[in-house]
Amino acid sequence: MHHESADPRAARRSGGVGDTPVSADLASSPFRVDRDRVASSPFFSRLAGVTQVVSSTGSGLLVHNRLTHSLKVAQAARAIAERLCARAELAGLLEKLGGLEPDVVEAASLAHDLGHPPFGHLGEQVLDRIARHRFGLVDGFEGNAQSYRIVTTTDVRGPASLGLDLTVAVRAAMLKYPWTRLSTPDPHPRTLSVPPRGAAEPIDAPGTGSAKFSAYVTELDDVLHARAPFTGRVESWQQTVEASVMDTADDIAYAIHDLEDFHRVGVLQHAAVAAELGTWQRQATELAGTSEADLLAQQRKPGRSLELLRRRLHAKDSWAVDDDAFAAAVAKVGADLVDGLLAVPFDGSVEAEQTVAWFTSRWTRRLVDAVGVTEEPTTRSGHVLLATRQWHEVQVLKFVHRRFVLLRPDLALHQRGQARLLSALVEALEQWVTDRHEADRLPRRLHDLVELAESEYGGLARTDPEVLVGATGEVPTGPDAVRGLARGRAVVDFVSSLTDNQAAALLDALSGRTGQLWTDAFVL
């Protein structure tokens, strides 16, 4: 789509492709260099030990982790980009919106989950709560923002002194939610009459800012630099086309591969899913006339939860929802998932493996082929989006995952233990960081993170202190306040960079539950 040497999006944080120190990069294209740098990062390697939905550690289960998920997102994203670039009628529109390059979306897809902490989304929620309430960090913690912080700041394996020195295009493509939690851009997208997906405040936490965001205030200069070439092409709160491709591919991978995992381990039961979808199909008219209060009271009865989904889609995504398409999606998922994949329990046989492969490849191809581009999307959508029929199918597939996996009591039991583990680990590390007698024996990585954060927060306290104002309403300008913020951010950075196993092993060591002096479970 672009001639690389003339593409302003190929500029790096240091100012331009030719301005960075000589490195051992193998590729000549700046965007392929970015992809290689991400794939070579230790933060990328650690994703093999980070939970996608449930941890397979010690169980022998062949389920997706954050690494395999990222690889499949990259595969789908590149396929989408190549298909769109091959459509001659879209060339002018793609150029107008800022360009589309398959290497960019592949690099951004590989990088999009770098910041996910131990234990997946559960870990993200725990660290966000601790960061805001315990450490007073107005940004809290968010996996997408942490990914951006890694590639711009905390990964030191690139040719620059901080971060991986990625191109403008790749950094912009990582910004799935191109705003900070509270302050940028102005006006903030959460104030729009119909906020973009993720920009609204959580219902149970008003005043805390957007539920999802892709950058902390410490990386704001990097965001503005990355977004500058797209000014006037997309709105300040809109994804670039390449970010929209990555986001769509993420949705596709999430909708398909988690269902595959839980069929393999026997969690996704044929009878329960068949009853839910089948009951709704037979009683759709009757359920449509049932009050919401009655549906909520009867939620454990088949069909009720699916009807509640249909109503939520009308409330949140009226721009896309269509009752006929919804009914067709329920029928399609029922035919392929219930009557196909789940009809025979997974037993590891050749036939079972082929059934899984057929379901996954057929559905991935179906969804990838249904992606298009629109010049003027709703605020709830990016410029790249699925066709109406396939959009509804993804909503139903994600519903099945949530209803029959994520809401299981046994999973909740498992996750409550993981939440306690992370909370205890953060507390133990905080005590270590604040122990002046142990300052010389602090893990070097943690020590470096504290120094980095002190420099960042000290600079913000001098130049833009308002962005640091937390729930207390006080401006943290004093050295003690800045040091407290820095220590909190450093501990969160440190914990979020661990694998599931490393988090558990480190807590064992800090609490005296292990007799090993040296262990390869973690590196301090």
Side-chain angles (χ1 to χ4, degrees):
M1 183 62 68
H2 295 272
H3 189 271
E4 286 154 0
S5 63
D7 189 351
R9 305 173 328 132
R12 298 188 180 276
R13 185 66 184 94
S14 56
V17 176
D19 297 331
T20 55
V22 175
S23 67
D25 294 319
L26 299 177
S28 57
S29 158
F31 304 132
R32 291 187 184 181
V33 167
D34 286 357
R35 180 194 61 190
D36 292 350
R37 288 182 184 175
V38 171
S40 300
S41 167
F43 287 91
F44 185 68
S45 300
R46 70 169 275 273
L47 295 180
V50 178
T51 291
Q52 171 71 5
V53 178
V54 295
S55 176
S56 62
T57 302
S59 66
L61 299 178
L62 293 175
V63 297
H64 284 82
N65 52 51
R66 285 284 159 187
L67 180 65
T68 56
H69 169 73
S70 297
L71 291 170
K72 291 184 177 181
V73 172
Q75 179 186 41
R78 186 175 188 94
I80 291 169
E82 289 175 346
R83 282 162 169 76
L84 295 179
C85 287
R87 292 172 56 182
E89 74 276 14
L90 292 178
L93 177 57
L94 292 173
E95 188 75 30
K96 177 181 178 182
L97 295 173
L100 175 59
E101 164 60 52
D103 284 330
V104 170
V105 298
E106 185 176 6
S109 297
L110 291 176
H112 85 283
D113 265 353
L114 290 178
H116 262 284
F119 313 123
H121 288 295
L122 178 277
E124 191 175 13
Q125 294 163 7
V126 172
L127 288 182
D128 179 49
R129 185 175 65 250
I130 291 173
R132 287 187 293 113
H133 297 308
R134 188 183 187 98
F135 298 135
L137 296 168
V138 65
D139 282 328
F141 178 88
E142 209 279 345
N144 293 282
Q146 193 70 22
S147 295
Y148 197 77
R149 179 166 171 77
I150 287 168
V151 302
T152 60
T153 306
T154 62
D155 193 323
V156 296
R157 303 246 308 191
S161 58
L162 292 175
L164 295 179
D165 205 29
L166 303 182
T167 59
V168 160
V170 170
R171 283 185 285 123
M174 288 180 63
L175 297 170
K176 184 188 294 190
Y177 310 102
W179 51 82
T180 62
R181 189 167 204 148
L182 285 163
S183 58
T184 303
D186 186 18
H188 196 275
R190 74 182 187 283
T191 64
L192 295 175
S193 56
V194 181
R197 188 163 56 102
E201 293 185 341
I203 296 175
D204 59 348
T208 59
S210 295
K212 306 295 291 183
F213 54 98
S214 283
Y216 303 129
V217 292
T218 46
E219 279 69 54
L220 188 51
D221 284 349
D222 273 283
V223 172
L224 297 176
H225 180 262
R227 294 280 301 186
F230 301 93
T231 302
R233 296 177 180 270
V234 296
E235 297 291 343
S236 62
W237 45 265
Q238 280 182 325
Q239 300 169 334
T240 66
V241 167
E242 289 155 335
S244 193
V245 169
M246 180 269 286
D247 191 12
T248 303
D250 193 20
D251 252 7
I252 290 171
Y254 175 82
I256 296 172
H257 298 121
D258 287 345
L259 293 179
E260 172 190 329
D261 281 349
F262 290 101
H263 169 56
R264 281 180 176 277
V265 301
V267 168
L268 202 58
Q269 296 294 316
H270 175 272
V273 182
E276 182 71 30
L277 303 189
T279 299
W280 184 88
Q281 287 178 290
R282 292 189 301 272
Q283 301 177 12
T285 302
E286 176 187 339
L287 290 170
T290 304
S291 71
E292 184 145 344
D294 286 344
L295 288 174
L296 290 169
Q298 303 167 11
Q299 224 173 144
R300 296 185 67 178
K301 292 185 177 180
R304 275 63 176 174
S305 294
L306 193 53
E307 172 60 21
L308 287 169
L309 169 69
R310 186 189 69 82
R311 296 186 189 190
R312 281 197 300 273
L313 293 179
H314 271 282
K316 287 189 171 183
D317 290 296
S318 57
W319 62 276
V321 71
D322 176 273
D323 283 337
D324 290 339
F326 183 82
V330 173
K332 176 65 176 173
V333 172
D336 281 11
L337 179 65
V338 177
D339 299 334
L341 183 65
L342 303 183
V344 179
F346 184 84
D347 60 4
S349 65
V350 171
E351 181 183 4
E353 289 287 4
Q354 289 177 336
T355 300
V356 170
W358 172 85
F359 176 84
T360 301
S361 61
R362 184 169 182 227
W363 269 92
T364 301
R365 179 65 180 264
R366 174 180 177 79
L367 297 178
V368 165
D369 285 345
V371 175
V373 183
T374 181
E375 184 171 1
E376 297 183 358
T378 169
T379 57
R380 292 280 296 168
S381 165
H383 288 281
V384 175
L385 69 169
L386 286 162
T388 298
R389 180 180 290 272
Q390 284 76 13
W391 182 87
H392 285 80
E393 290 166 359
V394 167
Q395 305 311 311
V396 175
L397 288 170
K398 289 166 73 173
F399 161 80
V400 171
H401 175 236
R402 175 173 172 77
R403 174 70 177 82
F404 297 103
V405 176
L406 296 184
L407 296 182
R408 288 175 61 100
D410 49 359
L411 179 58
L413 175 69
H414 186 61
Q415 290 181 329
R416 286 181 70 85
Q418 293 173 335
R420 287 179 177 274
L421 186 158
L422 277 183
S423 297
L425 178 57
V426 170
E427 181 179 359
L429 286 170
E430 181 196 13
Q431 291 173 354
W432 197 356
V433 166
T434 55
D435 186 346
R436 61 188 180 86
H437 299 295
E438 288 284 306
D440 293 337
R441 304 208 310 160
L442 199 65
R444 286 303 311 172
R445 177 63 175 156
L446 185 53
H447 178 274
D448 291 345
L449 288 171
V450 171
E451 286 193 341
L452 170 65
E454 281 194 16
S455 172
E456 292 175 314
Y457 284 109
L460 287 172
R462 291 189 299 272
T463 62
D464 196 8
E466 295 299 319
V467 301
L468 300 179
V469 175
T472 64
E474 297 179 3
V475 180
T477 54
D480 289 342
V482 168
R483 192 173 300 113
L485 294 176
R487 287 169 172 169
R489 179 56 69 193
V491 169
V492 169
D493 281 343
F494 186 81
V495 171
S496 67
S497 70
L498 302 173
T499 66
D500 295 4
N501 271 348
Q502 287 174 329
L506 183 53
L507 181 61
D508 279 346
L510 287 168
S511 59
R513 288 197 296 263
T514 178
Q516 288 182 279
L517 179 58
W518 312 116
T519 173
D520 61 359
F522 54 87
V523 178
L524 298 183

